[in-house]
Every structure is written in structure tokens, then in C-alpha cells.
Amino acid sequence: MDHVRVGLVGLGTVGTGVYKMLQENKDIITKKVGKEIRVEKILVRNKDKERDPEIPSELITFDPGDILENDDIDIVIEVMGSVELAMDYIKRALSAKKQVITANKDLIALHEEELSELAHLNGRDLYFEASVAGGIPIIGTLKEDLAGNKIRKIMGIINGTTNYILTKMTKEGKSYEEVLKDAVALGYAESDPTADVEGLDAARKIAILGTIAFDTKITFNDVYVEGITKITKDDIKYADELGYIVKLLGIGMNVDDKAEARVHPVFISKDHPLAAVNDVFNAIFVEGNAVGETMFYGRGAGELPTASAVIGDLMKATRDFINDTMGSSYRKIVKRKEIKDISEVDTAFYTRMKVKDIPGVFAKIATVFGDHGVSIALVRQQYRDDSGVAEIVLVTHKVQEKNVRDSLAAIEKLDVVEKVTSVIRVEEGKR
Ligand SMILES: NC(=O)c1ccc[n+]([C@@H]2O[C@H](COP(=O)([O-])OP(=O)(O)OC[C@H]3O[C@@H](n4cnc5c(N)ncnc54)[C@H](OP(=O)(O)O)[C@@H]3O)[C@@H](O)[C@H]2O)c1
């Protein structure tokens, strides 16, 4: 066969990008892999939808069997989305001995291990670079280029929508609700933004990254998740005054044979490289014991950036297909690490509370923190108003999360405290 035959499952944002990039960069792609890669069939669902005129209508099919069980297809690209159906389609494709590429983070964050094992059993590969951070080549980097490092930490801005919202709140002093409304109108947020703003999308991505970086299994369900919906204008303002920026981070840590996987808003020092990542851009900061600190920056979504990651995988899968070296990407998890509960995680905190504006209040609060082993790095009392209510803002040193939570529960019961209004974790120090 003088060309390699691809079946595309899905022709939405990513599928269209993949098709276009294959046409546009055909010369260099063919030269680099040694054969032309040709899309032979494209599976879609909606019979009435008008398709891009650049895409030949004879390629379109509505029957999954035309791709998944078709002997004239060598490689399947799943860019359809969903969990159950995509799982079924990928299993069918692997069982029919096709190389498979997917961009599906929802699926990979839950079932990567099972699907990779199935690929291995069939002597084939499953690639999923596009499932995390769109165009940023982070999965291949962790799997291959940094594979000899012990990775201690991964910390990333891995959701463009929330980074856009937090950037606008920071730069324009607007509330979360105002910015979200604009973001939906401009197409930067979905009309139902839950998966993004509640941190679920980022949680899927940190599960995938942590699994690879720490050589263990972390699924979406293992990740502690907090979104950005409770971040207020005041929090952003205090962050600024204290030398921080608020970002939604996915964080994975690999310490003493235990792993951490969490997504939550963070006060990050303004001089940390992640603090400069704005708007819809993504970035992933990785710390390895040999390489030290590295950071990867780029577009986390969109037609062509995501297609770029899919095509990179497609070229790897094609080379292995041509050279008959398929099945070489499999990596067995040898030892599973325990995943820490959030209460065991060590981190610093910013907290803000409304208190009675009378003498001795701070001493009472400090005593409760002290009794729980929490030391205070910084404190400010602000915005006294006529109602006799003052506001205390403080930042703790790094301590086990449980100690801070227990302290705050006790502090809320003090008769001098009206309400703890914000609790946000802080990345201590410059890095
Ligand atoms: N968009 C991004 O920037 C991005 C970035 C990274 C990863 N991803 C992932 O890439 C995947 C695709 O995303 P997308 O944004 O391209 O989605 P999309 O624009 O909604 O496109 C989905 C495509 O799949 C087809 N499809 C859906 N259900 C189907 C079914 N039951 N049978 C056959 N075809 C079906 C749709 O067919 P019709 O055309 O007939 O509706 C459409 O062509 C998702 O897993 C997503 O998480 C997306």
C-alpha cells in the first residue's frame, strides 16, 4: 500500500482541524513519515448538518462499522467525545488491530489503563497527547523526554476558560459573574460552564498527567477539586496587595512514595513563571530531579492547536505501523502510589474573616491557630466600617491542611468572629 489509511471518528472542532492540517501540511508530513496519510472515512452523527465544502462528501459515513471494523482502515482517530460510546468505539478499533489516537480527556482520565492494556494485548498503541493542554506537547515529553527523571511536582494552568476569567477579573477589577457573562458571549466559555469553572476539566487533565509523571494510576475520581466560582473581587484585590495572583491550578506532587492530585484556586507569587500566563493560554510547570524546573506554554484548545497534537500522535502511530513496530508505547504501572487525602496535604493558606471591631480579637484568633500548630506569616486588619465590623486578612505558613480546617472551624465559633469569608491555598515562596 502506498499510503496509510485513516478513519476519523468525529468532524467537529478538532476533527475538522485534523483534516485541514493533514491537507495543508501534507508535504512535510509525508516526507517525515515516509508515506502519505490519507483520511478514507469520517464518522459523524447529524445527517442534516452542513459540512465544510473542503471535506469531500463521499468520505462521510454514519455507520461506525465503516471505520471500526473496516479492513481498509489502519489507524482510527477518535475526536467525537463522550465516555461510554467512545470507550466502545476505541475498544472495537483496538480489537480490530488498529492504531488509535484520541483527544478525549473525559475518557482517558477514567479508563486509560484499561484501554492501554487492550492496545498492548492487540500489539497496538493508544495515543492521547491532545487530551491535555491542546497544542502543548506535555504527554510525550513526560513519557519520553523526561522519563529518566523522578518528577516531584507538576503544576499547571490547564483550563483556558478559567484562566481567561481570572485574568479579566484581575486586570479589569470585574466580578466573577460579570466576566463569566462576557466570556459566554465571546465564546470563551460554554453556555453551561460547569466543567470548566468547577475545576472538573482541569481535574481530568491533572489525573492524566499525574498518572504518567508519577508512574502510578490516578483517575479523575482521585482528584480533589475546587473551582473558581467563590473567588471574589476582594480576594483578587488582596492577592494583588500581598504580592500574589489568583490562578486555578492543577497540582500533582510525588513525595515519599505518596502522590497528591488536586485542582483549586491558588494565590501564586507574582514572580512565579505561571503568574505571567494570561487569558486562554495554558502552561505546565514540571520539576524533575535531574532537569530541575521546566515550563511548557501554549494554547490549550482550539481547532489547529489541538489538531497539532493529534497529528503528532498520528505520525508516531504511522511510523510504527509502517515499520511494524506497533505496541511499543505500552508502559506497565509497576507500583501504585497511595493518593493523599486533601486533609493530609501541606500547604499555606490565605484567609479572610469578618470580626467584631473590638480590642483583643486578633489575640483570640491567633490563640486558636497556635493551639492547632498553625503559625501566621502575615496579618492585616482592614476596612473598618460604621457597623462595628472589621476584616482580618491573614496568610499562614505551610502546614497540614487539616490543622487549618480545624482552626477555622473553631475560629468561626468564637463570639468575636462573624464569618470566615474566604479560604484559598497559597504557593509559598518564589517557586
Ligand atoms: N475543542 C477543543 O479545543 C478540544 C481540545 C482538546 C480536546 N478536545 C476533545 O476532542 C474531542 C472532540 O471535541 P470537539 O470540540 O471537536 O467536539 P465537537 O465540535 O462537538 O465535535 C464532535 C464531533 O463528533 C461527532 N459525534 C458526536 N457524537 C457522535 C456519535 N454518537 N456518532 C458519530 N459521531 C458523533 C459530531 O458529529 P456531527 O458533526 O454530526 O454533530 C461532531 O462531528 C472531545 O473529546 C474533546 O474533549 C477538544
Side-chain angles (χ1 to χ4, degrees), residues 82 115 143 153 172 191 223 252 255 269 289 301 355 406 409 420:
S82 85
L115 290 172
K143 264 192 176 172
K153 183 175 191 177
E172 296 174 12
S191 50
V223 182
V255 181
S269 187
N289 66 341
V355 298
D406 290 350
V420 175

Side-chain angles (χ1 to χ4, degrees), residues 278-297:
N278 286 322
D279 300 317
V280 293
F281 279 90
N282 282 203
I284 299 148
F285 181 85
V286 180
E287 236 182 84
N289 66 341
V291 72
E293 295 172 348
T294 56
M295 194 164 101
F296 306 86
Y297 171 89

Side-chain angles (χ1 to χ4, degrees), residues 394-414:
L394 57 84
V395 176
T396 73
H397 281 299
K398 203 175 205 181
V399 65
Q400 206 173 57
E401 170 135 358
K402 181 177 184 318
N403 300 23
V404 173
R405 295 285 170 196
D406 290 350
S407 311
L408 290 172
I411 285 168
E412 278 214 300
K413 289 192 189 126
L414 294 174

Side-chain angles (χ1 to χ4, degrees), residues 132-133 136 138 141-142 146 150-158 206 209-210 213-214 248-254 268-269 271-277 282-288 291-298 427-431:
V132 178
I136 305 175
I138 187 67
T141 302
L142 289 171
L146 295 179
K150 181 168 183 193
I151 306 289
R152 196 184 79 85
K153 183 175 191 177
I154 308 176
M155 189 160 79
I157 294 172
I158 44 182
I206 200 69
L209 292 179
F214 308 150
L248 181 75
L249 298 185
I251 300 176
M253 297 280 289
N254 183 23
I268 191 161
S269 187
D271 54 12
H272 192 287
L274 285 172
V277 177
N282 282 203
I284 299 148
F285 181 85
V286 180
E287 236 182 84
V291 72
E293 295 172 348
T294 56
M295 194 164 101
F296 306 86
Y297 171 89
E427 267 299 306
E428 251 185 358
K430 291 196 171 174
R431 292 275 190 275

Side-chain angles (χ1 to χ4, degrees), residues 11-14 44-46 49 51 79-81 85 103 301-302 306:
L11 187 65
T13 306
V14 184
V44 291
R45 177 176 49 181
N46 186 344
K49 200 164 169 181
R51 306 283 163 191
V79 282
M80 169 185 81
L85 194 62
T306 312

Side-chain angles (χ1 to χ4, degrees), residues 9-16 42-49 51 61-62 64 78-82 85-86 89 102-107 130-135 190 201 205 300-303 306 310:
V9 176
L11 187 65
T13 306
V14 184
T16 305
I42 305 173
L43 178 73
V44 291
R45 177 176 49 181
N46 186 344
K47 294 192 171 154
D48 301 324
K49 200 164 169 181
R51 306 283 163 191
T61 177
F62 301 96
E78 184 275 309
V79 282
M80 169 185 81
S82 85
L85 194 62
Y89 285 5
T102 178
N104 191 331
K105 56 201 153 224
D106 306 39
L107 175 66
S131 65
V132 178
E190 310 258 340
D201 176 76
K205 294 167 182 169
E303 185 180 280
T306 312
V310 172

